Amino acid sequence: MRLRSTLAATVGAFALALTLPASAGAATGTFTYRYADQSGVLTDPPSGECITLPEVADEQVLPAHTPANATDAVATVYAGSECTGPQFDLRAHTGHGSDRLKVRSVVFH
């Protein structure tokens, strides 16, 4: 009887683990971008929340460009701050854009 209870508990715990999300709320890896002849980087950024790139948050400065997504999540980049304006998806691990792709914010999913 004890073996049956232990087995049932183990199977139940395994089934519960399968239903939990795989990520802990963060994309793993780096996201890089260029701005004003400098480079910016986000390391292991949070998933599911908009990140306005601090160096280009002010609409008075030129936006960032040449984004490269080396995280394990899709990165959706936006032309405006706070994930507004035109958007473009960058594949996980290898997604990148040229210097013509203007970026002020990003969300990982």
Side-chain angles (χ1 to χ4, degrees), residues 7-105:
L7 182 59
T10 302
V11 169
F14 182 71
L16 179 62
L18 289 177
T19 63
L20 294 175
S23 73
T28 302
T30 58
F31 175 83
T32 59
Y33 52 95
R34 303 273 309 152
Y35 67 96
D37 294 328
Q38 297 182 47
S39 293
V41 64
L42 301 174
T43 302
D44 298 336
S47 295
E49 65 182 65
C50 180
I51 301 168
T52 296
L53 305 177
E55 303 89 350
V56 296
D58 184 352
E59 299 284 334
Q60 302 298 323
V61 301
L62 293 174
H65 58 86
T66 320
N69 183 23
T71 72
D72 61 355
V74 171
T76 301
V77 296
Y78 294 84
S81 296
E82 299 182 23
C83 296
T84 60
Q87 64 188 55
F88 187 81
D89 286 340
L90 300 173
R91 291 185 306 271
H93 304 290
T94 60
H96 64 278
S98 73
D99 60 349
R100 294 183 302 161
L101 182 57
K102 306 306 181 195
V103 179
R104 289 192 190 273
S105 55

